[in-house]
Amino acid sequence: MNVLNRIKLKISRGEYSFSDHSIYDKLEICGFTTEDLLNAVSTCKTVIKQTNTRAERDMLYIGYAISGKPIEIVCRFYNKKVYFITVYDYE
């Protein structure tokens, strides 16, 4: 099973969590909700492994918010869950 399918499966099972307050701050700044974030992963077609970060386990997902606006999500597997780290407007 590829990484994207593993993440989609974990999300469908509720096996995910969000980073501390920073992701919630970023969601608010970008005008997204947690539902937008989950929708973006479920509609995601592009996955990029981050190799220039401190934690090379991070993956970048590009999907769409419920409104159709593109969104970038950084997450990783941690403690058998998908751990959402941050979110960006896709430009």
Side-chain angles (χ1 to χ4, degrees), residues 13-76:
R13 293 178 177 171
E15 298 172 0
Y16 61 88
S17 59
F18 301 98
S19 64
D20 59 12
H21 66 281
S22 62
I23 194 165
Y24 296 108
D25 291 346
K26 289 287 291 200
L27 285 168
E28 186 176 336
I29 289 167
C30 295
F32 296 122
T33 65
T34 54
E35 291 81 15
D36 287 324
L37 190 146
L38 297 173
N39 187 74
V41 173
S42 69
T43 62
C44 178
K45 300 282 190 243
T46 305
V47 180
I48 303 166
K49 182 175 178 161
Q50 300 291 283
T51 58
N52 58 348
T53 64
R54 286 182 288 131
E56 292 190 3
R57 302 167 297 184
D58 293 356
M59 303 294 284
L60 173 67
Y61 297 87
I62 302 170
Y64 296 92
I66 294 168
S67 67
K69 184 177 178 182
I71 182 174
E72 292 181 23
I73 302 160
V74 177
C75 64
R76 74 172 63 133

